Each structure stands twice: as structure tokens, then as C-alpha cells.
Amino acid sequence: MKKLLLALLIALFVFSLAACTPAAKTQEQPKRVVYLINGALGDNAFYDSGKAGIDNIAKQYGVETRTIECNFDAGKYEPSLRAAVDYADVIFVISYGFEDQLKEFADQYPDKIFVNIDTVVENSKKTITSVDFIEEESAYLAGVVAGLATLDTSIPNVNPDKVVGVVGGDVDPVVSAFVFAYENGAKSVDPEIQVLKKSLGGAWDDSARGKQAALQLYDQKADVVFQVAAAAGIGVLQAARERQLYAIGVDTNQNDLEPGYVIASDIKNVGKSIEDVYKTIHEGTYKPGQVLKYGIAQGGVDIALEAKVQVLPQSIVDKVLAIRQQIVDGTLKIEMYNNQDVWQ
């Protein structure tokens, strides 16, 4: 009896100690987030989409946010990374042109969360998470739109020639993937369709050069020109209006920027990917070093056909949406870009 009583007293003592022991410290929530971009805001496309996502997480989670724009100035890349790690707990970065510096900083600061947007960057400590958009899926659909449009002479000012075009901001792998899939989509409609191409050689923010390139393509009989050129691509849309022909926008829904002349937009939902990743950070389920694939089924890319001034006949819209569904269902597999030379 005494032994039983002693055991009960010991158990009670241990329980009381446990009750008085502080709970294990939980992981602190991030307080500051940086959006670090190699380019600049104001493109109505890629960079602005990401900024919308940053603004949404600031509202939803109450974190402080800061955007650092490098304006395509290589001299700003390393100082901007330094400023980002000095300020933030979480850094969403578009690192075109400074991938090596990003790897070095990520290795030096393993306690920081680095999320690289639109390309895959892997550091030696494998702490960088990359968001990799399957842009081939949406660009293929943009090519289908262009191909169907150039064959339909009932659309005002479409000529009998089977010609479409594309203006790229540079010849980097991401733009080349767009161009590759766009050409495949157009030729899936009719193998005889000619796809003319112009690169701006890195002049992402030069809308005058974008417009000039598009005008040259329209003068070569292109009915539709796809812009993959960030802020410079706004000039492509302006050229479509000037020539009374057609363009396809990129990254955000640009169909109403030049009403009646932008017949579709290839969506890359940068903002959604940022919100998705940050949610995992907030919930404690984030895993560093992942490569997150965002295609149509994941809501990362898409084709936008709705517009205030609808140019495309419903028959074309229906065909494009049917092909889109095949991609979502997995019955249509889109060929991925693999460093092919697409600029010839």
C-alpha cells in the first residue's frame, strides 16, 4: 500500500513539473518579405503579376513587403541581394542574369527562405525552391489561336497568306520555350503556316523597339503577332492597332489594352505561385529545395480569350477550349522545349 502511495506521489510530482515546463518554441512566422526582380514594374505582364501576389500576401498575412527593382542593370544585382537578405525573412526572386550570385547568397544565409521564380536554380545546400512554369502548354494554345486566325479570312483584314509572327525579348531558354511551343501550336493547325520571329536582344523595356519589330512582321504578311517581351511587348500591341491587325498578349490578360486588336493572352500567373508558396511557409509545410511545376492544371499558365471587343468567332474559341481541356485531362501531351534552335 505504501509503495502504491509513493508511486502515485511521484507520478503526481512529475506531472506537475511537466505542466510548469514552457512549451517547445514554435517556428516564428516571417515578418518581412522581399520581391527582388531583375527588371522593373510597369510591364502590365510578368513583373506586375508577381507584385500583385506580393500585395495579396501583405494584406492576408500582415507581413511587411518591399520590392527591389534592378532595372536590368547588372551592377545592381549583388547589392540588391545584399539589401534583400539584410531586410527580409523570405525572398521571392526573379534571377535572370544573376543566378550564380543567388546561389552564393543562399549558401551563405541558409536561414533565409529563397524562392526563385520562372527558372530552376539549385545551390549547393539545396535551399532554393524554384517555381517552374510549363509555359509550353499555354504558348501552344497561343499558337493554335494564331494558326486558326490566320486561316480565317472572315476576320477583318486577315490576308490569304498563312503567316503569323512572334516577338521575343531575348533568346534565353524561357522565351525560346514560348517560341518553340507557339510554332508547334500554329503548325498543328496547318503545317504550311509560316512562323516569323524577331528577338529584341534583351531590350525588355523598349516598347519602341517592340513596336518596330512587330510592324516589320506585319509588313511580311503576318496576321497575328505574339509578344513575349515584357514592357517592350506593349509596343507590339500598339503596332497591331496601327496596322489594324492582331496580337496575342503575354503573362497577364492584355486583351483589353488595345480593344479589338489583342485576340488572346498567354497567362503566366506569377502572383498565384507566390501566394501558393507563401501559404505553405505560413502553414509550416514549406520544404526548401523543391522544384514546383505550374502548368494549366495547376493554375500556373493558361490562355485568356475573353475580351470587351471579341474578334475571334465562337468556332475558334470552342476549338481552342477543347484543346485546352485535352491538355488538362492529359490526353494531349505538349512537347517540351529542350534547347532546340528555334530562331532560324
Side-chain angles (χ1 to χ4, degrees):
M1 184 69 180
K2 289 181 179 180
K3 289 182 179 180
L4 179 59
L5 181 59
L6 180 60
L8 288 171
L9 288 171
I10 291 171
L12 182 62
F13 178 70
V14 171
F15 178 78
S16 64
L17 282 178
C20 296
T21 302
K25 185 179 180 182
T26 57
Q27 186 176 358
E28 291 186 5
Q29 286 290 322
K31 296 180 175 63
R32 293 175 174 174
V33 177
V34 155
Y35 179 44
L36 170 57
I37 59 177
N38 67 321
L41 298 178
D43 64 341
N44 287 299
F46 186 73
Y47 300 109
D48 286 359
S49 174
K51 181 60 164 57
I54 293 291
D55 291 345
N56 285 340
I57 65 174
K59 293 175 185 175
Q60 185 171 354
Y61 301 104
V63 292
E64 297 177 29
T65 63
R66 180 178 295 175
T67 297
I68 302 176
E69 303 169 72
C70 294
N71 293 288
F72 306 103
D73 182 349
K76 293 182 178 180
Y77 294 155
E78 190 162 339
S80 296
L81 276 165
R82 171 63 58 191
V85 299
D86 286 347
Y87 171 79
D89 310 301
V90 180
I91 300 153
F92 290 96
V93 54
I94 296 171
S95 66
Y96 296 117
F98 60 102
E99 294 89 346
D100 289 340
Q101 293 100 315
L102 173 60
K103 294 175 188 178
E104 292 174 6
F105 271 79
D107 283 339
Q108 291 173 23
Y109 298 93
D111 57 324
K112 303 288 184 178
I113 295 176
F114 288 89
V115 182
N116 186 66
I117 305 293
D118 206 32
T119 55
V120 177
V121 176
E122 184 179 57
N123 60 318
S124 62
K125 292 188 177 179
K126 301 189 185 304
T127 56
I128 299 173
T129 289
S130 295
V131 173
D132 186 24
F133 294 98
I134 309 175
E135 55 266 336
E136 289 92 342
E137 291 182 349
S138 52
Y140 182 91
L141 292 176
V144 171
V145 171
L148 292 170
T150 195
L151 297 183
D152 190 342
T153 54
S154 71
I155 298 173
N157 298 326
V158 167
N159 63 62
D161 298 280
K162 302 175 181 180
V163 182
V164 300
V166 57
V167 174
D170 208 342
V171 293
D172 64 53
V174 173
V175 175
S176 295
F178 274 102
V179 174
F180 173 76
Y182 174 73
E183 182 165 20
N184 286 348
K187 288 184 176 295
S188 74
V189 175
D190 186 334
E192 294 183 357
I193 291 175
Q194 185 179 6
V195 181
L196 305 177
K197 303 149 191 172
K198 291 279 187 183
S199 170
L200 303 181
W204 294 96
D205 55 351
D206 192 338
S207 61
R209 283 189 62 181
K211 181 177 181 180
Q212 179 185 36
L215 289 173
Q216 291 171 349
L217 294 176
Y218 290 129
D219 289 344
Q220 292 175 267
K221 303 295 187 180
D223 297 302
V224 182
V225 176
F226 179 29
Q227 75 95 349
V228 192
I234 300 301
V236 175
L237 310 187
Q238 294 168 347
R241 173 176 47 81
E242 186 171 310
R243 284 288 191 270
Q244 301 285 288
L245 287 166
Y246 305 103
I248 295 175
V250 77
D251 294 332
T252 59
N253 188 341
Q254 300 179 329
N255 296 351
D256 296 329
L257 293 184
E258 296 290 350
Y261 302 102
V262 185
I263 56 175
S265 288
D266 178 339
I267 304 296
K268 181 175 282 190
N269 205 335
V270 181
K272 180 184 187 302
S273 72
I274 288 175
E275 292 179 57
D276 286 354
V277 175
Y278 192 83
K279 183 180 179 183
T280 68
I281 296 169
H282 178 77
E283 294 176 344
T285 58
Y286 171 81
K287 294 179 181 179
Q290 297 184 94
V291 176
L292 305 174
K293 296 285 188 178
Y294 272 78
I296 292 178
Q298 295 77 29
V301 299
D302 213 333
I303 193 78
L305 301 172
E306 64 279 1
K308 291 179 180 177
V309 180
Q310 183 60 266
V311 175
L312 295 176
Q314 191 60 43
S315 58
I316 289 181
V317 172
D318 291 343
K319 287 177 183 177
V320 174
L321 292 180
I323 295 169
R324 177 192 181 278
Q325 191 59 48
Q326 290 174 13
I327 296 172
V328 172
D329 294 341
T331 57
L332 175 61
K333 300 293 185 182
I334 303 303
E335 184 179 356
M336 298 293 104
Y337 172 72
N338 189 26
N339 296 315
Q340 295 96 327
D341 184 2
V342 300
W343 294 98
Q344 296 301 317

